[in-house]
Amino acid sequence: MSEHNATAARPPGRPRSARADEAIIEAALDIIAEGNTVDALSMDAVAARAGVGKATVYRRWSNKEALMMDAIVALKGDIPKPAGESVRADLIALLGRVGRYGGRAGKIMPCLAPEIHRNPELYDRYVAWVEERREVIRDVLRRGIGTGELDPDLDIELAVAALTSPVTMQSQLRWHPHLTKERLAERLVDMVLNGIRPPAR
Amino acid sequence: MSEHNATAARPPGRPRSARADEAIIEAALDIIAEGNTVDALSMDAVAARAGVGKATVYRRWSNKEALMMDAIVALKGDIPKPAGESVRADLIALLGRVGRYGGRAGKIMPCLAPEIHRNPELYDRYVAWVEERREVIRDVLRRGIGTGELDPDLDIELAVAALTSPVTMQSQLRWHPHLTKERLAERLVDMVLNGIRPPAR
């Protein structure tokens, strides 16, 4: 409440500009989510969709690559917090979120892939965004080593890749047409935890 | 040798046209491998790169999407044959090939991703191409269930995804900057085979 009042007391220019920034970023994300590549994205189209003048867009971002970098960060701001009960439950909860940024981000990521591949700065920005979320998974794995739930010699980076890649590819690219999505995170976590050799008798 | 003579005995038009087709497909693949999206690809540029007239390109392919479909198939024609000694060795050999189509295909796949996402026919064609290769992995897994090397209740589709996705993402997108590539296939196969729980004592 008091925060709301504080905002209202600010000079009128500042919040309007923040609202315009947000509208511009949302417009860029919407256009990409419709299946357009960054290549095909124009600052004109972004301005029109956001309902602002082109000059307003350029005042804040000198080119569409710079705009896309901020758009990626805006796509999903929160870092998940595991409950901390068991490694299995935490991993299932964390993986259940991968690729579920709402339908839009799932559509955006494949369209960004070629751009990320070509543009090292965008790649770095995107990886930093992903790494911040991966660090939560690493923490769960490290905790599992400490509690004895996991192999003390675990290759943490490989485990992160083994756990996240199948879910990412399936949610973003429908990569495996014969793989059912139902309880995918849970089934994958159990497979990676237990392995695929015959169970011990 | 005799095949070479047989080719030489054919009417001159046929092989020249086959050579032109091949040059056109190679040109399209080269342009995409340079980091261009299918969006940015023009039939003019393909014709110029292949050293043929635009009419020659259009005689064979009515649009660039049709050309890309044949280009995907041309990218890697052979289906691997596992040695059949152990499931572990076969999986390592098969995964060692994933994403290693030479540097070019690794560059092409990320550029195709948005196109595949937008174009259901291209998606189907690409998935059919991938599925043919996945079937070899499924065969190895089924054999492993038969020999007792693998859990009889194995979810084969999930195992295929768990084994191939991390290698695909790492080779095509350098997805995990902290994950070393050295012996990646072997390390992943052992992780999925044995799981990440502490080893039994």
Side-chain angles (χ1 to χ4, degrees):
Chain A
M1 279 294 189
S2 67
E3 205 168 290
H4 191 256
N5 290 342
T7 305
R10 274 186 205 152
R14 186 90 181 31
R16 197 190 308 143
S17 139
R19 278 200 307 274
D21 283 3
E22 200 182 311
I24 292 163
I25 282 179
E26 287 299 309
L29 289 172
D30 281 346
I31 293 171
I32 296 288
E34 284 162 13
N36 297 293
T37 58
V38 177
D39 249 14
L41 184 76
S42 79
M43 294 294 250
D44 279 337
V46 171
R49 176 76 67 108
V52 302
K54 205 170 152 180
T56 306
V57 181
Y58 277 107
R59 202 174 300 140
R60 182 79 172 74
W61 294 282
S62 59
N63 55 52
K64 61 186 175 183
E65 286 74 21
L67 171 57
M68 284 316 302
M69 290 214 198
D70 286 347
I72 287 173
V73 175
L75 202 52
K76 191 185 159 211
D78 60 321
I79 304 277
K81 290 201 184 17
E85 286 173 22
S86 76
V87 165
R88 178 178 180 274
D90 281 352
L91 290 177
I92 292 169
L94 291 171
L95 292 194
R97 293 172 47 111
V98 171
R100 286 234 200 109
Y101 319 106
R104 196 173 62 167
K107 286 182 187 140
I108 285 172
M109 292 309 171
C111 299
L112 282 179
E115 202 54 36
I116 287 169
H117 193 72
R118 264 186 299 190
N119 180 333
E121 206 186 341
L122 198 62
Y123 169 81
D124 290 345
R125 176 72 65 102
Y126 186 59
V127 165
W129 184 93
V130 175
E131 283 291 314
E132 212 176 341
R133 281 144 190 88
R134 275 184 197 141
E135 190 57 23
V136 181
I137 298 180
R138 287 190 196 100
D139 279 342
V140 171
L141 296 172
R142 286 187 203 111
R143 198 188 79 217
I145 294 173
T147 60
E149 286 163 275
L150 299 180
D151 185 347
D153 294 326
L154 180 65
D155 181 338
I156 288 183
E157 282 310 304
L158 183 62
V160 169
L163 290 163
T164 58
S165 296
V167 182
T168 304
M169 292 196 74
Q170 189 64 356
S171 62
Q172 288 180 15
L173 298 170
R174 296 169 296 149
W175 202 244
H176 296 271
H178 306 300
L179 178 60
T180 54
K181 281 198 171 184
E182 202 195 339
R183 297 190 307 112
L184 180 59
E186 182 180 350
R187 289 152 57 210
L188 179 67
V189 167
D190 281 333
M191 180 173 281
V192 174
L193 277 174
N194 302 323
I196 65 175
R197 291 197 191 277
R201 280 137 219 279
Chain B
M1 277 297 190
S2 68
E3 204 167 290
H4 191 255
N5 289 342
T7 306
R10 273 187 205 150
R14 187 87 182 32
R16 197 193 306 144
S17 140
R19 278 200 306 275
D21 283 2
E22 200 180 312
I24 291 163
I25 282 178
E26 287 299 308
L29 289 173
D30 281 346
I31 292 171
I32 296 287
E34 284 163 12
N36 298 292
T37 57
V38 177
D39 247 14
L41 184 76
S42 79
M43 293 295 250
D44 279 338
V46 171
R49 176 76 66 107
V52 302
K54 204 170 152 180
T56 306
V57 181
Y58 277 107
R59 201 172 302 137
R60 183 78 173 75
W61 294 281
S62 59
N63 54 52
K64 61 186 176 181
E65 284 74 21
L67 171 57
M68 283 317 301
M69 291 216 197
D70 285 349
I72 287 173
V73 175
L75 202 52
K76 189 184 161 213
D78 60 322
I79 304 278
K81 288 202 184 17
E85 287 174 22
S86 76
V87 166
R88 179 178 180 273
D90 281 353
L91 290 178
I92 291 169
L94 291 171
L95 292 194
R97 292 172 48 111
V98 171
R100 285 237 200 106
Y101 322 104
R104 196 174 60 168
K107 287 181 186 139
I108 285 172
M109 292 309 172
C111 299
L112 283 179
E115 202 54 34
I116 287 168
H117 192 72
R118 262 187 301 191
N119 180 334
E121 205 186 342
L122 197 63
Y123 169 81
D124 290 344
R125 176 73 65 102
Y126 186 59
V127 164
W129 182 93
V130 175
E131 283 292 313
E132 212 177 340
R133 282 146 189 86
R134 277 185 196 141
E135 190 57 23
V136 181
I137 299 180
R138 286 190 197 101
D139 278 343
V140 170
L141 295 173
R142 286 185 202 110
R143 201 188 78 219
I145 294 172
T147 61
E149 287 164 274
L150 299 181
D151 185 346
D153 294 325
L154 181 65
D155 180 337
I156 289 184
E157 283 309 304
L158 183 63
V160 169
L163 289 163
T164 59
S165 296
V167 182
T168 304
M169 291 198 75
Q170 188 64 357
S171 62
Q172 287 179 17
L173 297 171
R174 297 169 297 146
W175 202 245
H176 296 271
H178 306 300
L179 178 60
T180 55
K181 280 198 172 184
E182 203 194 338
R183 297 190 307 110
L184 180 60
E186 183 180 347
R187 288 154 55 212
L188 180 65
V189 167
D190 282 333
M191 180 173 281
V192 174
L193 278 173
N194 302 324
I196 66 175
R197 292 198 191 273
R201 278 136 221 278

